């Protein structure tokens, strides 16, 4: 069974991501009619980035739900959304990023385009990787709770930064709705520019949005050390060949793979290890 799992991880991940994206963004009538689905399922969050404004989205984005709670006139602690993060973070950690986020496979496929010399990181990665925590604090929390446009609070991350919302939501809606086309302004082109930069960077650098800007990844990363889904490293079997580090898309060594907040549980280290000392499973063995 373990051999079957090791053999199949790299082969099943992309199809799994695509199928999951279709299931959570498969409201066909939304794309046909150029309208957003507003049925009862929209009150439920799905674990990855899943823009409410996507015509095909049948669920809501947890970041959108968090900002909506913070957008209330009297700010209260959003216990329901925090509970959602705690449950999914405790069970999956950043497995959500690697397998359950629709914007992840977009970056994965872009990175497969045979252009440019591929890089795992941007320069100054050690500093830039903390930007996602700045985005979480500055735009998702502080911005959404205190930033106003006129008399209304603003879901700052969704409005000013999120490239997933632009790709899956704004572009399809604008392309099918004449009224929206007539109201395109600077904000649309600002976010389109961000999306284009992310697309170009993704061809060269592995998942730049996930590594440097995604606040959802910042949240789930806090749970990586103790989530139920773990990458287990059996140190006594390890020969330090570093095949796992070479295969890891974010360049983690064996000691880091099982605990780092940057690990998205993609399974490439599992497939690369010639001694079967790394595997995806439940609670990590602590040595």
């Amino acid at each position: 069974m373990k051999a079957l799992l090791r053999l199949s991880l790299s082969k099943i991940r992309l199809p799994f991501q695509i199928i999951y994206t279709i299931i959570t963004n498969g409201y066909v009538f939304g794309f046909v009619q150029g309208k957003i689905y507003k049925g009862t399922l929209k009150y439920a969050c799905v674990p990855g980035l899943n823009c409410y404004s996507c015509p095909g989205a049948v669920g809501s984005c947890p970041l959108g739900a968090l900002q909506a709670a913070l957008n209330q006139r009297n700010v209260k602690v959003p216990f329901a959304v925090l509970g959602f993060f705690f449950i999914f973070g405790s069970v999956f950690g950043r497995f959500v990023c690697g397998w359950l986020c629709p914007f992840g496979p977009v970056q994965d496929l872009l990175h497969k385009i045979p252009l440019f010399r591929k890089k795992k990181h941007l320069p100054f990665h050690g500093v830039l990787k903390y930007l996602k925590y700045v985005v979480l604090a500055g735009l998702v929390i502080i911005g959404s709770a205190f930033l106003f446009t006129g008399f209304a609070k603003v879901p700052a991350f969704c409005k000013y930064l999120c490239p997933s919302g632009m790709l899956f939501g704004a572009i399809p809606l604008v392309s099918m709705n004449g009224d929206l086309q007539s109201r395109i302004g600077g904000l649309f082109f600002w976010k389109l520019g961000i999306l284009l930069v992310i697309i170009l960077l993704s061809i060269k650098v592995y998942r730049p949005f996930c590594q440097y800007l995604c606040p959802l990844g910042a949240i789930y990363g806090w749970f990586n050390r103790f989530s139920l889904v773990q990458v287990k490293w059996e140190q006594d079997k390890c020969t330090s060949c570093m095949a796992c580090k070479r295969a890891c898309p974010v360049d983690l060594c064996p000691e880091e793979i099982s605990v780092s907040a940057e690990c998205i549980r993609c399974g490439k280290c599992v497939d690369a290890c010639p001694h079967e000392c790394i595997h995806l499973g439940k609670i990590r063995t602590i040595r």
Side-chain angles (χ1 to χ4, degrees):
M1 183 65 182
K2 183 188 292 187
L4 178 62
L5 178 61
R6 291 178 57 83
L7 178 66
S8 63
L9 270 180
S10 60
K11 294 182 179 180
I12 68 172
R13 181 168 164 256
L14 183 58
F16 184 93
Q17 290 172 295
I18 293 173
I19 292 171
Y20 178 83
T21 299
I22 292 173
I23 291 173
T24 55
N25 292 273
Y27 182 65
V28 178
F29 292 109
F31 289 107
V32 173
Q33 299 171 358
K35 296 180 180 180
I36 300 172
Y37 169 73
K38 295 183 179 180
T40 53
L41 289 176
K42 225 30 179 313
Y43 291 100
C45 289
V46 294
L49 284 178
N50 205 77
C51 184
Y52 183 96
S53 297
C54 172
V58 294
S60 294
C61 176
L63 285 177
L66 177 59
Q67 290 173 100
L70 295 173
N71 280 167
Q72 302 301 313
R73 182 176 297 275
N74 297 316
V75 177
K76 298 179 181 179
V77 178
F79 288 108
V81 185
L82 295 180
F84 176 92
F85 283 129
F86 181 80
I87 291 171
F88 276 90
S90 297
V91 175
F92 296 108
R94 288 202 74 180
F95 177 88
V96 171
C97 304
W99 294 72
L100 302 176
C101 181
F103 198 62
V106 172
Q107 295 173 88
D108 289 343
L109 291 171
L110 286 168
H111 198 63
K112 293 178 182 294
I113 296 175
L115 293 174
F116 311 135
R117 182 180 178 183
K118 304 302 180 181
K119 295 284 187 179
K120 294 185 177 183
H121 300 311
L122 288 173
F124 308 108
H125 168 75
V127 175
L128 291 177
K129 68 181 182 181
Y130 294 108
L131 275 177
K132 56 183 173 285
Y133 301 99
V134 175
V135 173
L136 173 62
L139 290 183
V140 176
I141 299 175
I142 298 174
S144 296
F146 300 106
L147 184 64
F148 287 78
T149 298
F151 295 101
K153 291 184 180 181
V154 176
F157 170 74
C158 294
K159 184 170 183 177
Y160 297 116
L161 182 59
C162 184
S164 181
M166 187 68 189
L167 179 63
F168 292 113
I171 291 176
L173 284 176
V174 167
S175 66
M176 294 180 290
N177 192 313
D179 290 338
L180 290 178
Q181 292 170 15
S182 65
R183 286 184 280 173
I184 288 178
L187 182 59
F188 178 88
F189 291 108
W190 163 259
K191 289 193 66 178
L192 180 61
I194 290 175
L195 175 62
L196 292 176
V197 169
I198 295 296
I199 287 173
L200 290 174
L201 281 176
S202 296
I203 298 173
K204 183 175 181 63
V205 180
Y206 185 76
R207 286 198 178 204
F209 179 72
C210 298
Q211 290 198 65
Y212 303 114
L213 293 174
C214 183
L216 200 54
I219 293 172
Y220 289 131
W222 290 335
F223 294 91
N224 260 8
R225 285 179 176 267
F226 56 86
S227 62
L228 292 180
V229 176
Q230 287 285 340
V231 178
K232 295 193 283 188
W233 173 50
E234 298 183 62
Q235 188 175 1
D236 55 340
K237 293 183 180 180
C238 184
T239 62
S240 299
C241 68
M242 293 299 162
C244 57
K245 180 178 173 68
R246 291 190 293 273
C248 177
V250 293
D251 204 33
L252 298 174
C253 63
E255 295 89 344
E256 297 172 313
I257 285 172
S258 56
V259 297
S260 173
E262 305 305 309
C263 175
I264 61 171
R265 314 311 199 208
C266 67
K268 292 185 177 182
C269 58
V270 177
D271 295 331
C273 180
H275 304 291
E276 300 190 3
C277 61
I278 299 178
H279 50 96
L280 192 66
K282 294 183 180 180
I283 302 175
R284 176 175 58 91
T285 301
I286 301 175
R287 298 181 181 275

